[in-house]
Amino acid sequence: MTVEPSVRVEDKLFYNRYLVDVGRPHIKVRAHTKPSAQLLALLRACPARCYELNDKGQVEITVDGCIECGTCRVIGEPTGDIEWSYPRGGYGVLFKFG
Ligand code: SF4
């Protein structure tokens, strides 16, 4: 039996390129003092690790590395925890590098 080498998501993300739409994030986290269960789930669900806890225990997002997979949209948008849209044309992730 042949064992295939494992591939980590982080290794593949390195090949992506992003054009950041400065000042116009395409995903926004609803203002909160204590994160909901959905927001906390995003810390683990996002494959690009765009979601983090700040020093106040609130969930924040940095969209610069977003691969637009939609996982957080499924988890957080129905509950109103996030607002999700695609980046404006010409901005966002570029997959052509690998
Ligand atoms: S769309 Fe995917 S990669 Fe982008 S922030 Fe949401 S979960 Fe992360």
Side-chain angles (χ1 to χ4, degrees):
M1 182 172 129
T2 306
V3 177
E4 296 293 326
S6 63
V7 177
R8 298 182 335 140
V9 171
E10 290 82 358
D11 295 338
K12 288 296 187 183
L13 291 175
F14 174 76
Y15 292 103
N16 295 333
R17 296 294 180 265
Y18 308 89
L19 187 57
V20 178
D21 197 359
V22 178
R24 299 184 67 159
H26 66 282
I27 304 171
K28 296 176 184 171
V29 174
R30 179 179 52 131
H32 60 281
T33 52
K34 183 180 176 190
S36 66
Q38 286 76 19
L39 283 177
L40 290 173
L42 299 179
L43 299 172
R44 299 179 56 153
C46 174
R49 300 182 188 261
C50 293
Y51 291 89
E52 292 180 325
L53 277 180
N54 66 19
D55 55 5
K56 296 177 184 171
Q58 299 161 332
V59 175
E60 294 182 337
I61 184 170
T62 303
V63 296
D64 298 3
C66 172
I67 58 173
E68 301 167 26
C69 70
T71 302
C72 62
R73 186 177 197 177
V74 172
I75 296 172
E77 196 173 56
T79 57
D81 286 297
I82 66 168
E83 290 177 30
W84 199 102
S85 61
Y86 284 106
R88 290 193 300 159
Y91 292 96
V93 66
L94 303 171
F95 290 108
K96 64 182 178 181
F97 296 101

